[in-house]
Amino acid sequence: MVRKLKYHEQKLLKKVDFISWKVDNNLHEVKVLRRFGIQKREDYTKRVVECIGPAFLSFWQSQPGVTTDVLTLQEDDVLEDEKSSIFDEDNVSFLRSLDPKEWKDQDHYAVLGLSKLRHKATDDDIKRAYRIKVLHHHPDKRKGKGEEIRPDDDYFTCITKAWEVLGNPRNRRSYDSIDPLFDDSIPTASKKSTFFETFGKTFEENARWSERQPVPKLGGALSPREQVDRFYSFWYNFESWREYSYLDEEETEKGQSREERRWIEKQNKVTRARRKKEEMARIRTLVDTAYELDPRVLKFKQDEKDRKLAMKQAKKDAIRARFEEEERKVQEAEEAARKLKEQADAEEKAKQDALRAEREAQKKALKKEKTNLRKLVKANSYYVTNDSEMIKHMESLEKICESMDIDGIIKLVSDLSLNGREDYIKAITEAEQRIEQERQELMEVAKRSSSNQGQGKGNLAPWSSEQLQLLIKAVNIYPAGTSQRWDVVANFINQHNASGNVIRSAKEVLAKAKNLKSSDYSKNVLKVAANEKAYDNFEKEHKSNVDIDATTSQRFDNPAEQQGYSTTPWTAKEQQLLEQALKTYPASTAERWDKIAECVPSRSKKDCIKRYKEYNKLSRQVRELARKVKDLDPKDPFRVDCSAQLLEKLFIMGLIPTKWDLSLCDNITASSFCQRRLPVIMVKNKMSERISMATKFIEQGHVRVGAEVVKDPAFLVSRNMEDFVTWVNSSAIRKHVMEYNEMRDDFDML
């Protein structure tokens, strides 16, 4: 007699083979056979189904030969699985301590007895564990043993929920993402000897979250650099599959309406994204900590540092060698030039000596002929007929000697030997005429020069009181010793003269200054008259009833304000107005700085002049420093080091194109500094079309240099930082640029 199967026994009969085949009259006959009683045939169609329900049980019980052996086999299989070492021992007290209402907070692996395997358990392991729990703790079976069952609050519900979570791959993945036994902590600083053990274990545990497999190992102390770089490159680009839908506070299906369900789904997505971001930050912190403490990375960095130092030293040695070679060539060129100069000087000296010898010979010959002439004239008693002519002829002899050349004297001596007195009288007359002609020419020249001077003085414009004050002020500003002092003073007077009609030259300024210096103002009639009437004027002024408004004196916080300078920094707009005014009014414009100050309403004349001189002063200091370095001995190592450091600094600042020639420092001007301003660099990098537009972007906070946001348009960008000028991450301009270049991804759109 076949007994009636219970409910839990019906559930154990899950899989049977369903066989169908076609007969001649197109009818199908269905038979349910036991598992091990089927013989295969080629025309059978075989598939696995789960037969349940009262109709199937009635059919099963009506078949001949059906016994309880099947149930016995099922129980034997469960007992064999239970003896396996991968499953935990059945802990009834733990299961009874579970609260079915708090099933979401329970450890599903521990409930099914898989706490040893956890995420490593296969689907078959989970299925076998669930079968064991069902066999031992099903309510019907426990009820048959006499145990009291509470349908609404039975711990078997926790087993069912554990199976629903772990038996479904999607639900299991969601639960594994928040495994309560997983350690999310990050190891702190450790010793070098325990680094690989500590962090190797941590990275192996976190490797389970990787989307990409296989995950590279941390390696050991002897791992090559390629392996270390590949390991950290993988973890710095780590992609985690962890998702936190299991921790959703509200389920979407509980929403009463579509709008409520959408709102719940939106809130869940925000929470998941936040937790996902925290997880990626944790992974990044773990990798950063390991990278900072990794002894291999520290060794690689030290090796790289030593290599760079060696390269830098080699570069310095090369620069020093290049400088020494250049200095050697310069010295050789100077030595060759010196030799050529000495040779030329020797030749020139020989020529001069020859000319000097020739002149000496001519002088001696002239002196000899003059002596012969004097002897001849003296021997003939100066060709006089009476004593009254003696003195005149003696004086005339000296005039003849001074006015005639050697050829004339020789000819005169020969003529005197023939004719005597007549030729001597004739020579005296010619000498006097020659001397008188020269005197007349000198008088004409002197007369013309004096007339020109008188005419020039007659055209000089009178000096006004304003010009005299400017002259006194300029003489005090530019003291004695100033290069081209009087030209500078004249330019100062012409530039600041209000009238601008009279242009003063340096000679006029010098003459007027001497005149003022030599004048005695104590004898001035006007001054005497003013002194006599001083008391009367004083008495008259004090008798008049005039109300004088007394005002409190103004207090200045610093000497700059007292001298008329403003202490507020220059804005970009003021700088643009100043630069435009400097271009509009060149240096030759009269009252130039007054007109420039009018173009910059918020600044005074002194502020504009001071601003203009700042960059000029800095560039002048750089040129002066370069000149001092050039004056040092070329062979001095100190000069070589100073030259290299100065050129390196100026090259990094972007003021010179190369760092090999000190002569480039002479080309540094105020414009060189202006070319390194941030708006100019933005135009050069094609980030803006115009400097004015770039200035607006900077003031609005759209631009950063490296990690620092810069809002000052006057910021000077060095050559090293020129490539790090870019848009701020939150800038709308950056987003438009990335959209145009099709570079935006989903992460940037969050």
Side-chain angles (χ1 to χ4, degrees), residues 339-402:
K339 291 181 179 180
L340 292 175
K341 184 178 180 181
E342 290 179 355
Q343 184 178 358
D345 292 342
E347 294 177 356
E348 184 67 22
K349 185 178 180 181
K351 291 181 181 179
Q352 294 295 333
D353 293 341
L355 292 175
R356 190 180 299 108
E358 185 179 356
R359 286 195 297 269
E360 290 295 333
Q362 291 178 358
K363 286 181 180 180
K364 289 180 180 180
L366 180 60
K367 186 177 181 181
K368 182 179 179 181
E369 295 299 330
K370 287 181 179 181
T371 303
N372 294 334
L373 177 61
R374 290 189 182 97
K375 288 180 180 181
L376 178 60
V377 174
K378 186 177 181 181
N380 291 288
S381 300
Y382 297 99
Y383 298 102
V384 297
T385 57
N386 51 41
D387 294 337
S388 61
E389 295 179 350
M390 179 63 71
I391 296 175
K392 181 180 179 182
H393 284 198
M394 291 176 66
E395 293 176 354
S396 299
L397 177 60
E398 295 301 325
K399 292 180 181 180
I400 292 172
C401 292
E402 294 297 331

Side-chain angles (χ1 to χ4, degrees), residues 53 352 463 492 524 581 666 748:
Q352 294 295 333
W463 285 73
F492 179 82
N524 194 331
D666 298 334
D748 292 327

Side-chain angles (χ1 to χ4, degrees), residues 554-565 606:
Q554 186 177 0
R555 178 178 178 180
F556 299 97
D557 294 335
N558 50 50
E561 293 182 356
Q562 188 174 1
Q563 295 178 5
Y565 295 109
K606 291 185 178 181

Side-chain angles (χ1 to χ4, degrees), residues 516-534:
L516 292 175
K517 186 176 181 181
S518 61
S519 298
D520 187 2
Y521 287 95
S522 62
K523 298 179 181 179
N524 194 331
V525 178
L526 296 176
K527 184 176 181 181
V528 174
N531 291 335
E532 291 177 353
K533 297 180 180 180

